[in-house]
Amino acid sequence: MATSTSTEQPEQQPSLKRAIGPKLLILFVIGDILGTGIYATTGKVAGKVGGALWLPFLIGFIVAVMTAASYVELVGKYPKAAGAALYTQKAFRLPFLTFIIAFMVMCSGLSSASAAARAFSGDYFQEFTDAVPPTLIAILFILALAALALRGVSESVKTNVVLTIVELTGLVIILAIGASAIFTGSGEPSRLGEFQASGTGFALMTSILGATALGFFAFVGFEDSVNMAEETKDPVRTFPRAIFLGVGVTGTIYVLVALVSSLLVDYRVLETSSGPLLEVVKAGGVDFPPKLFALIALFAVTNSALINIMMASRLCYGLANEKVLPRGMGRVLPKRRTPVNGIIFVTVIAIGLVSTGEIEGLGDTTAFLLLCVFTVVNVAVLVLRKDPVEHSHFRTPTILPVLGAITSVILASPLSERGSDVYIRAGVLVAIGIALWAVNKVWMKVRHEEEAARG
């Protein structure tokens, strides 16, 4: 079955509303990257590497910049909603590969949203009450965000702005606590160079790779923004600044927060907490109410989940327009101009994931799926150099996608000491994708035969 790359809208469907300007897009990128990763998985990263948990975040920052450069070039060339799936199809013209990449991106967003839901219902929420079952809280959380996404992109993005400011405030509080600790001489600087793995050989390398692979979950999000290209004003000019500034700001904050966390809290304490930054607040020696910080953290993980629900639903919309998914998935609410069927579809999958996984496993699954996708995207940007477009756009130095592809493969490989449960979960998701591909292929064939019979 040939997959069309036409960008025509479905018949009688309104187009998406271009409501996102440069400032909103920058905050969107920052808000998408910040959140669950740093607020919930810092302790798990510490458990893998030890007190030197700043190092995996620094390496992840570098890898993220290289791959972000590829996304900036591609969204400038093809400012459409389907993101990595669109780039894969244009580069390789293999509909099956296009569908699998699209499905992996969608599942990565939904496993990320599910990890955020689990983080929401964990130690931060239990700072207030433990009377409600965490799984029920997580499911209700997903449903509430789906309702907001249905209401409209303007409402969702404006909510993102508020939540981004709140989550930034939380991280500034952590940095201020760290600065206070340094000036008062508290904390334990020797922990910053402490590695969990003994020796300096292969065990140490795999320990760092494993921590980096999980820590990379904190950097995912910049790739979501390209799925908002059709709702962004002047995307060719707006995206380069937004993505690079977003990755730069968040990467700097992450490394500093990791330094403060290790300085004030032993990595073994961080490892056991689903709210590790709350442990930092409690250990900081500053009179800051833990419940207030827990509330800030709840807003932060809400932001991550909201943006991932938005991204996945827009991906459904874009793929329907590309005829990779049935056109019904591209249905838009006439008044709200939001992709209603896409939102419903991804909400059902997110509820399934949140009912069966925990924060670390869901976060690592997100990172693994996206590292596979990033490998393909970094190769695609090189392949598509032979496909010039009429308008000018950002062009990344060739060395960056080459290094981006290599590092993504390494971090996705078994060298990263990733648990077998992550590979199994990802394998099941891909298997589901293959089954859906087969169903869609049969559906398209039947439709074609019906149209032929009608003459």
Side-chain angles (χ1 to χ4, degrees):
M1 180 188 72
T3 301
S4 169
T5 56
S6 169
T7 57
E8 294 178 1
Q9 304 297 330
E11 292 180 7
Q12 300 180 340
Q13 288 291 313
S15 62
L16 298 177
K17 184 178 181 181
R18 290 194 181 273
I20 304 174
K23 293 180 181 178
L24 277 179
L25 186 61
I26 291 172
L27 286 172
F28 184 94
V29 175
I30 292 174
D32 198 1
I33 301 175
L34 290 178
T36 306
I38 194 68
Y39 276 90
T41 61
T42 300
K44 306 305 179 185
V45 173
K48 286 179 174 289
V49 73
L53 66 100
W54 57 271
L55 182 58
F57 284 106
L58 178 60
I59 298 172
F61 181 20
I62 296 169
V63 175
V65 168
M66 292 187 293
T67 298
S70 293
Y71 272 91
V72 170
E73 176 170 336
L74 290 170
V75 75
K77 290 182 74 172
Y78 315 109
K80 303 298 177 184
L86 175 63
Y87 312 146
T88 301
Q89 176 61 23
K90 285 186 173 293
F92 305 108
R93 303 288 177 179
L94 297 173
F96 179 75
L97 178 62
T98 298
F99 184 85
I100 293 302
I101 290 296
F103 195 78
M104 292 176 77
V105 171
M106 183 186 303
C107 289
S108 73
L110 297 176
S111 61
S112 178
S114 300
R118 278 295 184 182
F120 186 94
S121 63
D123 287 352
Y124 292 123
F125 190 86
Q126 291 179 21
E127 186 71 18
F128 300 94
T129 178
D130 58 1
V132 184
T135 300
L136 177 60
I137 294 171
I139 291 173
L140 293 174
F141 174 79
I142 292 291
L143 290 173
L145 294 183
L148 178 59
L150 275 171
R151 183 167 178 80
V153 67
S154 295
E155 290 82 353
S156 299
V157 174
K158 288 175 183 175
T159 301
N160 163 253
V161 171
V162 175
L163 295 178
T164 297
I165 293 171
V166 172
E167 65 187 349
L168 276 171
T169 300
L171 296 178
V172 169
I173 290 169
I174 294 295
L175 297 181
I177 290 173
S180 174
I182 291 172
F183 285 122
T184 59
S186 58
E188 187 57 59
S190 64
R191 281 199 291 258
L192 301 180
E194 183 181 21
F195 290 92
Q196 183 191 44
S198 59
T200 57
F202 185 76
L204 178 60
M205 181 192 73
T206 56
S207 173
I208 294 173
L209 285 176
T212 301
L214 177 59
F216 194 74
F217 170 54
F219 287 95
V220 301
F222 61 85
E223 77 287 347
D224 290 350
S225 63
V226 302
N227 292 294
M228 308 300 289
E230 291 184 43
E231 293 165 279
T232 300
K233 301 171 185 176
D234 195 7
V236 175
R237 296 183 60 185
T238 302
F239 270 95
R241 181 184 179 192
I243 290 181
F244 285 130
L245 187 59
V247 174
V249 168
T250 53
T252 301
I253 291 174
Y254 282 177
V255 173
L256 292 175
V257 168
L259 285 167
V260 170
S261 299
S262 184
L263 179 71
L264 295 178
V265 184
D266 185 88
Y267 76 87
R268 287 171 283 264
V269 175
L270 292 172
E271 181 183 10
T272 60
S273 175
S274 62
L277 298 191
L278 189 59
E279 301 295 336
V280 177
V281 171
K282 292 177 178 178
V286 176
D287 188 19
F288 190 89
K291 285 188 184 324
L292 178 57
F293 186 84
L295 182 62
I296 291 172
L298 291 177
F299 280 122
V301 297
T302 297
N303 204 26
S304 296
L306 172 62
I307 295 178
N308 277 289
I309 291 290
M310 290 173 65
M311 176 279 294
S313 62
R314 268 60 181 184
L315 181 55
C316 284
Y317 167 86
L319 292 176
N321 287 343
E322 294 293 323
K323 298 182 181 178
V324 178
L325 287 178
R327 282 207 165 190
M329 297 297 292
R331 183 188 169 202
V332 175
L333 281 178
K335 292 184 178 180
R336 292 294 177 183
R337 294 170 71 179
T338 53
V340 55
N341 285 352
I343 291 171
I344 293 172
F345 179 69
V346 302
T347 300
V348 171
I349 296 178
I351 290 174
L353 284 170
V354 83
S355 302
T356 57
E358 298 297 334
I359 295 173
E360 183 175 0
L362 291 169
D364 210 357
T365 300
T366 302
F368 171 71
L369 290 169
L370 281 179
L371 285 165
C372 294
V373 171
F374 290 169
T375 301
V376 174
V377 169
N378 279 307
V379 174
V381 76
L382 299 174
V383 173
L384 288 170
R385 292 280 171 85
K386 64 183 181 183
D387 180 34
V389 294
E390 294 181 358
H391 60 274
S392 60
H393 60 86
F394 174 85
R395 180 184 171 101
T396 184
T398 301
I399 188 63
L400 294 185
V402 172
L403 292 177
I406 294 172
T407 53
S408 294
V409 168
I410 292 173
L411 290 176
S413 75
L415 287 174
S416 63
E417 292 189 329
R418 184 174 285 106
S420 60
D421 63 304
V422 173
Y423 291 110
I424 292 171
R425 184 182 295 110
V428 169
L429 289 172
V430 172
I432 293 172
I434 293 172
L436 288 176
W437 165 260
V439 170
N440 185 59
K441 187 174 182 179
V442 171
W443 183 87
M444 291 292 289
K445 181 179 179 180
V446 170
R447 182 180 176 186
H448 179 73
E449 291 175 350
E450 289 176 348
E451 290 176 351
R454 289 196 298 266

